[in-house]
Amino acid sequence: MDEVVTAVRVLLALVFVASAAGKLRGRGAYARFTAATARLVPRPVAARGTRWIAAAVVGAEAAVVVLLVLPGTAAAGFALAAVLLAAFTAAIVRALARGDRAPCACFGDADTPLGPRQVVRNLSLATAALAGLGATLSGGSHLPGATGALLAVAAGGLAALLVLAADDIIELFRP
């Protein structure tokens, strides 16, 4: 169980690092993310300060990474990740219901329009976060042995790579 929790910690930490880094890659990337945020949040909320919301999102993503990496704070990292993923999913579902299929600024720049695959991705990651939270709260958050840790980090890293490249991989097989 410790190996699974470690793999999920690595998976989520890498996904949230990529997400925050993609948004902070440059002024243009951050401006596109802020514009996407304005589209995805309800108008009354956006009117009060899209820039603050965008900054809070990036800050929360960075906090997830720190909490998942530091010893003793994994449960808080899993919980924050699950909350963020639920909020992201709700925003995407709301946008899709309005017919908004503009590209997702989830990992910075993107050409892939919003669609069900982002909802599935986020729900899968949220499920992983909740499973990690449950395992951690039930005492399954000890570090595995060296071999187990190596395998867990490799598995979490591979899973993160697949999540981050999923849109590109799917596009390879589209007619």
Side-chain angles (χ1 to χ4, degrees):
M1 181 62 94
D2 296 337
E3 289 84 0
V4 174
V5 172
T6 299
V8 174
R9 285 172 76 174
V10 170
L11 161 66
L12 292 172
L14 290 175
V15 167
F16 277 95
V17 160
S19 183
K23 293 170 181 126
L24 296 175
R25 194 172 58 237
R27 286 182 175 222
Y30 191 73
R32 284 184 289 282
F33 167 65
T34 303
T37 300
R39 279 192 344 269
L40 294 175
V41 298
R43 282 198 178 112
V45 175
R48 292 187 199 133
T50 301
R51 282 187 261 162
W52 289 104
I53 295 167
V57 166
V58 174
E61 289 176 336
V64 166
V65 175
V66 171
L67 291 168
L68 288 172
V69 170
L70 290 177
T73 59
F78 284 133
L80 182 56
V83 168
L84 284 173
L85 288 160
F88 297 160
T89 303
I92 292 169
V93 167
R94 183 177 177 278
L96 292 173
R98 287 191 330 252
D100 183 352
R101 300 216 5 115
C104 176
C106 306
F107 302 112
D109 290 336
D111 295 330
T112 307
L114 285 175
R117 72 176 82 161
Q118 287 86 12
V119 173
V120 170
R121 178 200 59 219
N122 287 356
L123 290 176
S124 299
L125 290 170
T127 300
L130 291 173
L133 176 61
T136 300
L137 293 177
S138 67
S141 63
H142 307 301
L143 291 176
T147 302
L150 182 60
L151 290 173
V153 169
L158 178 59
L161 181 62
L162 291 173
V163 167
L164 297 171
D167 285 341
D168 293 330
I169 293 168
I170 291 168
E171 289 303 314
L172 288 174
F173 296 100
R174 290 189 61 152

